[in-house]
Amino acid sequence: MAVSILWVDDEIEFLKPHIIFLEQREYAVATATNGEDALDMVSAQNFDLVFLDENMPGLTGMETLARIKEIKPNLPVVMVTKSEEESIMDQAVGAKIADYLIKPVNPKQILLSIKKNVHQHTLISEKTTSDYQQAFGAIGQQIGMARTFDDWTKIYRKLSQWSMQLAESSDSGIAEVFAMQMSEANNEFGKFVKSNYLSWFGPNAEDKPMMSHNVMRNLVFPTIDKGNRVLLVVIDNFRYDQWMAIQDLIAPYWRVEREELYSSVLPTATQYARNALFAGLMPMEIQQRFPDLWVFDEEDTGKNLFEQELLTQLMKRLGKNYKMQYEKASTIKSGSLFGSNLKQVLQNDLSVLVYNFIDVISHARTEMEMMRQLASDEAAYISLTRSWFKHSDLFALIKEASAHGVRLIITTDHGTIRVKNPIKVVGDRATSTNLRYKMGKNLNYNAKQVFEVRKPEEAHLPKANVSSSYIFALGNDFLAYPNNYNYYVSYYRDTFQHGGISIEEMLIPFVELKPL
């Protein structure tokens, strides 16, 4: 169907060459010589775009624009004017025009405006698809040649960038190709972790990444020691692509000083990774040093009740006499974060806020059909995150904090992945229930399908009894019991889970920002 354009100008006869130019390119152009006729036509017909003269007798262009927006709020209107006065431009932009052209206009200007406002989505989709097709082979080579942790962070950054761009594409075929490449990357990353993870704890490890238990000591505390007051925001379940989705919202208030990816410890679950983050210790060392503060998987009590105490103990061990305040927001609307006096709170050397809302989204998506539809795939999940953040009390706090001269650090404990492929595992009643890892003493599984840690101490993991071992799901696998298997699989397939080994779960953002 031809693109339909309405051109409104009291001197329309002088624009005949432009109209012929557009009609030769198969655009359907209707004309009006005054605002009243234009409004009648907009009410009666569907147009894709309106060119509107600013200076007309009777209803002015600005008055006509306002009336058009009342009738068809989403109809793009391009203002055409002889005036270069800034005040008129400001009025037009404030009235949400799609474009602004100054007479005399030439055919290429007109054509460009049409392409920007009518064909933009299609053109961007086609260009993005073409660009990714060209990049596909190079990324595949990088995946095949990745040997170090740094190699994998570069690959994940590139894949995340393409994920964000391709989310805007209408080409379902290219989305499938990207999903296949992401799966290939996770397969190879799983092999990399299986081959290297245990060696990262050796004293002479050559490719030892930054991990959860070193973040406070090596990344957060040095910033405070330089004389900065720090607001540390730990967003549970926060993936790197989710950070990319909200970065532009934060940009008017904060400038990124440092951005890097570090590795969550295994299991990539809150109980292990977040406790390691705040304790500055691996889970096994936490359990050994603070047995009263460690809760095993099978114990029916909260697993993250002692984060503040673990952080206090870390500061004490390192001789850090920081004035610190800690708060956890675990509900959708927790009220005023840090109470009513944010300025006073931010006088502390370290203000810590743990925010669990994205984790709430993940669990709600598993349990509620409506949430599954709202976050049907990765693109929708990321979009939902951005929408939540834009209207959240957390964003309001971050904006307000920029006026108080602190450094803002945003990070997480682990990411999450959409699981698809069930792997059968048999365990006893004491086996942990997480879908991405299992800890137990009588596990039965196919060793080729998982990463097994028969000696938990080698991965610095605690064990509930002498014969306890761990297994971790790889890629988009999830661990399912044989009993009631079909129901279990259908219920959890395509849900977002964490605890295992994938790029999305393990490679997580650490971002330090300075107020503008």
Side-chain angles (χ1 to χ4, degrees):
M1 184 181 294
V3 171
S4 180
I5 297 169
L6 173 62
W7 201 318
V8 188
D9 196 303
D10 61 315
E11 297 178 329
I12 200 72
E13 65 273 12
F14 296 116
L15 299 172
K16 193 65 176 176
H18 293 326
I19 294 170
I20 293 172
F21 170 80
L22 294 178
E23 290 175 339
Q24 287 174 341
R25 282 158 178 77
E26 299 185 347
Y27 292 106
V29 184
T31 63
T33 58
N34 59 78
E36 293 289 355
D37 288 347
L39 294 172
D40 289 340
M41 295 174 73
V42 167
S43 298
Q45 298 175 239
N46 289 321
F47 293 101
D48 298 296
L49 182 68
V50 176
F51 285 107
L52 178 61
D53 185 24
E54 182 267 327
N55 187 20
M56 295 186 298
L59 278 180
T60 66
M62 293 301 301
E63 291 169 337
T64 305
L65 172 63
R67 298 272 293 277
I68 288 174
K69 288 298 182 181
E70 291 177 4
I71 300 167
K72 299 280 180 69
N74 297 318
L75 176 59
V77 179
V78 176
M79 186 69 76
V80 185
T81 179
K82 293 178 182 178
S83 175
E84 296 187 35
E85 289 185 22
E86 188 175 349
S87 60
I88 294 177
M89 293 182 187
D90 289 345
Q91 288 181 55
V93 172
K96 298 183 179 179
I97 59 163
D99 208 348
Y100 192 96
L101 301 179
I102 297 176
K103 292 182 178 181
V105 293
N106 64 57
K108 288 187 177 178
Q109 284 179 295
I110 296 165
L111 191 59
L112 177 60
S113 188
I114 295 171
K115 289 185 179 294
K116 280 166 50 180
N117 293 290
V118 179
H119 303 299
Q120 185 180 42
H121 180 76
T122 300
L123 293 173
I124 290 175
S125 178
E126 291 174 354
K127 181 68 164 58
T128 302
T129 296
S130 174
D131 289 348
Y132 175 66
Q133 287 171 335
Q134 293 179 36
F136 178 84
I139 297 172
Q141 278 190 320
Q142 281 185 280
I143 292 170
M145 296 173 64
R147 297 292 181 270
T148 67
F149 183 82
D150 187 54
D151 290 339
W152 281 109
T153 63
K154 290 176 181 176
I155 290 168
Y156 185 37
R157 285 179 185 276
K158 191 165 292 186
L159 288 170
S160 295
Q161 289 165 359
W162 279 116
S163 174
M164 301 297 289
Q165 292 182 53
L166 292 171
E168 303 299 321
S169 175
S170 56
D171 187 339
S172 59
I174 204 68
E176 291 178 9
V177 172
F178 178 78
M180 290 173 59
Q181 186 158 67
M182 195 73 206
S183 179
E184 177 195 2
N186 263 321
N187 287 339
E188 295 303 315
F189 180 72
K191 295 175 186 177
F192 169 76
V193 173
K194 289 176 72 172
S195 298
N196 293 279
Y197 185 78
L198 298 182
S199 71
W200 291 347
F201 301 101
N204 301 316
E206 293 183 4
D207 180 35
K208 186 176 182 178
M210 180 68 62
M211 299 180 73
S212 306
H213 60 299
N214 292 319
V215 167
M216 298 300 297
R217 178 188 292 106
N218 294 340
L219 298 181
V220 178
F221 291 168
T223 298
I224 302 173
D225 291 338
K226 291 176 183 176
N228 300 296
R229 287 173 284 116
V230 168
L231 169 60
L232 172 62
V233 178
V234 179
I235 306 176
D236 193 17
N237 256 19
F238 191 53
R239 297 179 0 170
Y240 177 65
D241 50 6
Q242 290 171 311
W243 157 245
M244 292 177 66
I246 68 169
Q247 185 175 356
D248 68 305
L249 298 175
I250 294 175
Y253 310 95
W254 299 87
R255 181 179 70 244
V256 174
E257 290 281 289
R258 178 178 192 169
E259 181 197 279
E260 60 183 82
L261 295 170
Y262 73 93
S263 177
S264 170
V265 301
L266 293 176
T268 50
T270 306
Q271 173 190 0
Y272 293 84
R274 197 195 296 163
N275 280 333
L277 173 70
F278 286 122
L281 298 168
M282 285 294 293
M284 181 178 73
E285 283 74 30
I286 299 174
Q287 191 269 332
Q288 290 173 345
R289 290 191 184 211
F290 308 105
D292 294 340
L293 305 185
W294 181 263
V295 180
F296 280 104
D297 295 63
E298 72 276 9
E299 295 181 56
D300 187 20
T301 187
K303 307 298 192 292
N304 292 87
L305 300 178
F306 307 107
E307 295 160 0
Q308 183 175 358
E309 187 168 348
L310 290 170
L311 177 55
T312 300
Q313 290 293 335
L314 172 60
M315 292 190 297
K316 183 177 179 180
R317 288 198 310 276
L318 298 179
K320 306 297 184 183
N321 298 314
Y322 304 141
K323 184 180 179 184
M324 186 263 289
Q325 181 158 341
Y326 173 97
E327 183 168 323
K328 183 185 295 185
S330 57
T331 59
I332 291 177
K333 185 67 177 177
S334 60
S336 178
L337 301 177
F338 286 124
S340 59
N341 195 344
L342 179 63
K343 183 178 181 179
Q344 182 177 340
V345 169
L346 294 180
Q347 293 303 311
N348 295 319
D349 301 303
L350 176 61
S351 305
V352 181
L353 174 63
V354 177
Y355 210 89
N356 285 346
F357 186 72
I358 294 179
D359 188 51
V360 171
I361 292 177
S362 298
H363 289 297
R365 189 188 176 282
T366 300
E367 298 162 6
M368 299 172 58
E369 184 60 32
M370 181 184 69
M371 287 297 294
R372 287 198 189 213
Q373 293 174 10
L374 285 174
S376 57
D377 56 19
E378 275 77 3
Y381 184 55
I382 300 304
S383 177
L384 184 60
T385 301
R386 177 183 169 84
S387 180
W388 153 73
F389 181 78
K390 186 175 182 179
H391 303 284
S392 69
D393 52 349
L394 175 60
F395 185 34
L397 178 141
I398 286 174
K399 287 189 289 186
E400 185 180 350
S402 67
H404 296 296
V406 298
R407 289 293 178 99
L408 171 65
I409 293 176
I410 298 176
T411 190
T412 185
D413 43 7
H414 55 76
T416 187
I417 188 170
R418 185 160 60 119
V419 298
K420 294 180 176 296
N421 183 44
I423 300 296
K424 287 186 179 180
V425 174
V426 177
D428 60 24
R429 290 185 177 181
T431 301
S432 58
T433 58
N434 189 286
L435 299 183
R436 294 283 292 163
Y437 79 92
K438 298 292 181 188
M439 188 269 283
K441 61 180 180 178
N442 293 309
L443 300 177
N444 192 338
Y445 51 88
N446 183 343
K448 293 181 179 180
Q449 296 178 310
V450 298
F451 173 41
E452 57 179 351
V453 179
R454 290 187 173 275
K455 298 179 179 179
E457 61 273 14
E458 293 181 345
H460 291 251
L461 291 172
K463 50 186 181 182
N465 56 66
V466 176
S467 57
S468 290
S469 62
Y470 288 78
I471 60 170
F472 301 93
L474 302 164
N476 58 14
D477 295 344
F478 65 102
L479 306 173
Y481 295 119
N483 53 315
N484 211 5
Y485 180 78
N486 291 331
Y487 171 79
Y488 193 85
V489 167
S490 63
Y491 186 79
Y492 286 108
R493 179 179 275 133
D494 282 323
T495 62
F496 287 91
Q497 303 291 336
H498 54 82
I501 297 171
S502 69
I503 295 174
E504 296 95 322
E505 289 165 288
M506 290 189 71
L507 304 190
I508 51 179
F510 178 93
V511 187
E512 182 178 335
L513 304 104
K514 184 178 181 180
L516 292 178

